Amino acid sequence: MELTYRCPLHCVFCYNPTEFAATGPELETEDWLRVLREARALGSVQLGLSGGEPLARDDLEVIVAEAHSLGFYINLITSGVGMTEARIAALKRAGLDHIQLSFQDSSREMNDFLSSTRTFELKAKVAALIKQYEYPMVLNVVLHRLNIDHVEEILELAQGIGAEYVELANTQYYGWAWLNREHLMPSREQLRRAEATLARFRARPGQKMKIFFVVPDYFETRPKACMNGLGSVFLTVTPDGTALPCHAARMLPGFTFPNVRTDPVRSIWYDSEAFNHFRGTGWMKEPCRTCPEKTRDFGGCRCQAYLLTGDAANADPVCDLSPHHHLVTDAVAAAEARGQAANEGLIFRDHRISIPVVVVGQERASK
Amino acid sequence: MTEISELDRPVVGRGFRLQWEPAQEAHVLLYPEGMVKLNSSAAAIMSRCDGVRTIADIVADIERTYGVTGLAADVAAFVAMARERSWLEMKGE
């Protein structure tokens, strides 16, 4: 459940829709509790609470308590901004199972630059709280052109704050990250160096952190099995109640997405066109339709197919069997051609803009 | 990782949760975005791992409950495997 689009950060790689400020009012507490009860009755067991920053909602503890009593496993995905000892104690009592803390980068300057606010020291404090309250310390860092050269520093920082699990997730290009794609795409050489650094770090004696590296799919030749196929296992509810088969699906044209204010979760899941359309393989076009791998990757990501080719039913162009694969390799080649990180033109996630206007160097000082 | 002794007191690992899941008709171990369905032997062991009982206590309890003997090696092997996967931690570890 994406509880709110409100967020104190302004990350350039945020996957929230760029038009988030134009969406409707947030659901009330009672709406969220009803969604939980309906989803659990259908057999759902995993609950991710994200946003925006879910701590921006002061009913987070109420939502967690209800979810826990229903038997959900509850994972809070947070930047840590807004986390206090009082709140983590209340969340623990309410039955929160897991916390994933995001970090933008390891050096204070880079962290502040990339998230456009001063949050670094706060995150170190939150990391200490997470350990104090006996949660595993799980750190997520989104990688991109501007920080991928800092992988070693990031891992050392993670070790320094006692992280047990670190996910280094290369940027996926949706929402704000899509707007900033040319600035965020690493070069092949950067990627190679990062992987070599990671291998050296893993081999350090006494190194105990479990490190996951999510490869950027633009550099692959087969697409990710996105969501295990739309409508297969995943349902997300946005702050205004819109139910989507993936975080980014709001962009897909031609659908009227159901809303939990008016539609029961059961009918959303089983009856709505938005959840049924991309189920199975009947919607596929060539080359997916006759591809022996179609039940392995489900044609990749519908949103990526739409963003790059204009048709959500096309093969994800990450696949080198796609006639549109050049759109991906061209983007990678353009990243190769770019010189050292030039930050001019980066667009920061901001509620004041539906059409982005904040440009580095012009307005950054006002933040 | 240190050797496991029968006097260790295993407990479900931080971030994991064991619960009976009616939809699966099984005990499951939950973790972020995932779930392991446990067979009845694994569930019998895991559900006794409360950080209070020792491995020896757990073996004795299961043997008594099911009227069998000679489970110590099987339980030890499961605990070692589960600890490797972070499903279990030893209390005080």
Side-chain angles (χ1 to χ4, degrees):
Chain A
M1 305 195 313
E2 295 174 13
L3 297 177
T4 179
Y5 285 137
R6 286 175 285 148
C7 186
L9 305 185
H10 304 277
C11 301
V12 293
F13 49 76
C14 183
Y15 67 79
N16 280 171
T18 49
E19 72 280 17
F20 72 91
T23 60
E26 289 183 13
L27 293 180
E28 302 292 331
T29 309
E30 196 45 52
D31 296 317
W32 288 118
L33 302 188
R34 187 183 68 250
V35 168
L36 287 172
R37 290 190 284 267
E38 291 179 7
R40 183 65 181 145
L42 291 173
S44 174
V45 66
Q46 287 286 346
L47 176 64
L49 297 174
S50 66
E53 173 48 63
L55 287 167
R57 285 209 51 138
D58 57 15
D59 58 358
L60 181 62
E61 291 81 351
V62 177
I63 291 167
V64 167
E66 178 70 6
H68 179 74
S69 75
L70 290 165
F72 278 104
Y73 182 92
I74 311 156
N75 184 16
L76 177 66
I77 297 160
T78 178
S79 67
V81 182
M83 186 65 94
T84 59
E85 175 147 20
R87 288 203 86 180
I88 198 169
L91 289 165
K92 184 84 182 183
R93 275 197 306 277
L96 180 67
D97 291 290
H98 192 273
I99 300 172
Q100 179 188 299
L101 181 65
S102 62
F103 240 94
Q104 275 65 57
D105 199 282
S106 64
S107 72
R108 170 152 178 173
E109 294 69 25
M110 185 61 91
N111 187 59
D112 290 344
F113 168 66
L114 292 169
S115 61
S116 191
T117 183
R118 292 188 173 271
T119 59
F120 181 91
E121 283 161 21
L122 177 137
K123 289 194 194 207
K125 280 184 197 150
V126 172
L129 280 177
I130 287 172
K131 289 184 80 70
Q132 184 189 332
Y133 281 81
E134 299 191 324
Y135 288 106
M137 179 57 237
V138 179
L139 199 60
N140 176 283
V141 183
V142 176
L143 292 185
H144 45 73
R145 184 184 193 86
L146 305 175
N147 70 1
I148 195 167
D149 295 329
H150 302 271
V151 161
E152 184 164 5
E153 291 89 335
I154 290 169
L155 290 171
E156 279 171 352
L157 175 125
Q159 204 163 39
I161 63 170
E164 289 153 275
Y165 300 87
V166 183
E167 182 176 83
L168 300 172
N170 276 279
T171 302
Q172 307 208 44
Y173 299 105
Y174 308 100
W176 297 84
W178 169 256
L179 286 182
N180 289 309
R181 187 180 68 164
E182 65 173 309
H183 301 282
L184 298 178
M185 181 89 61
S187 71
R188 208 171 279 281
E189 173 59 18
Q190 281 184 301
L191 193 58
R192 193 197 60 72
R193 280 201 307 265
E195 288 178 324
T197 302
L198 176 59
R200 278 198 309 277
F201 194 90
R202 279 180 171 146
R204 285 189 188 182
Q207 197 293 115
K208 286 184 187 151
M209 289 192 300
K210 294 189 175 156
I211 308 165
F212 304 92
F213 187 78
V214 181
V215 177
D217 64 352
Y218 272 56
F219 293 83
E220 302 278 359
T221 53
R222 284 293 181 275
K224 58 189 179 246
C226 198
M227 298 287 151
N228 278 309
L230 286 191
S232 165
V233 293
F234 186 86
L235 182 155
T236 189
V237 180
T238 66
D240 67 356
T242 306
L244 302 172
C246 84
H247 298 290
R250 202 195 281 261
M251 73 171 78
L252 298 176
F255 293 105
T256 306
F257 288 102
N259 191 294
V260 297
R261 289 183 202 273
T262 51
D263 306 300
V265 176
R266 171 175 287 278
S267 74
I268 290 170
W269 184 256
Y270 288 110
D271 305 330
S272 73
E273 171 65 6
F275 280 77
N276 277 316
H277 187 82
F278 290 112
R279 281 183 176 142
T281 54
W283 55 270
M284 287 180 178
K285 297 182 169 180
E286 294 297 351
C288 295
R289 188 197 297 271
T290 53
C291 180
E293 296 174 38
K294 69 180 172 187
T295 55
R296 191 158 78 203
D297 58 35
F298 316 103
C301 171
R302 298 304 88 228
C303 299
Q304 196 146 274
Y306 172 66
L307 279 173
L308 274 81
T309 76
D311 182 349
N314 277 334
D316 184 335
V318 161
C319 185
D320 66 3
L321 299 171
S322 160
H324 302 100
H325 184 57
H326 64 92
L327 296 171
V328 167
T329 51
D330 288 352
V332 172
E336 300 289 336
R338 277 177 79 88
Q340 263 305 314
N343 300 330
E344 295 78 18
L346 261 181
I347 300 158
F348 287 84
R349 177 198 198 275
D350 197 300
H351 68 279
R352 288 166 297 187
I353 44 175
S354 292
I355 310 280
V357 293
V358 179
V359 174
V360 179
Q362 295 179 9
E363 297 198 23
R364 194 180 154 222
S366 69
K367 286 187 181 294
Chain B
M1 201 174 275
T2 51
E3 290 289 304
I4 298 172
S5 141
E6 65 169 15
L7 297 179
D8 281 329
R9 301 168 193 277
V11 62
V12 175
R14 288 164 304 135
F16 289 88
R17 202 169 84 228
L18 178 72
Q19 74 180 22
W20 173 259
E21 191 63 11
Q24 310 284 327
E25 295 187 333
H27 277 92
V28 297
L29 192 64
L30 297 164
Y31 54 92
E33 295 169 32
M35 177 168 92
V36 180
K37 185 173 166 179
L38 299 176
N39 64 27
S40 56
S41 317
I45 300 169
M46 291 282 295
S47 60
R48 287 169 171 79
C49 293
D50 54 7
V52 177
R53 283 181 265 204
T54 65
I55 293 175
D57 294 338
I58 292 167
V59 170
D61 188 17
I62 295 174
E63 289 183 342
R64 196 163 51 240
T65 304
Y66 296 96
V68 291
T69 56
L71 293 183
D74 289 345
V75 172
F78 176 83
V79 169
M81 179 279 291
R83 185 205 204 190
E84 185 68 27
R85 289 167 167 74
S86 303
W87 299 354
L88 290 175
E89 298 171 5
M90 300 305 133
K91 191 71 178 178
E93 192 170 50

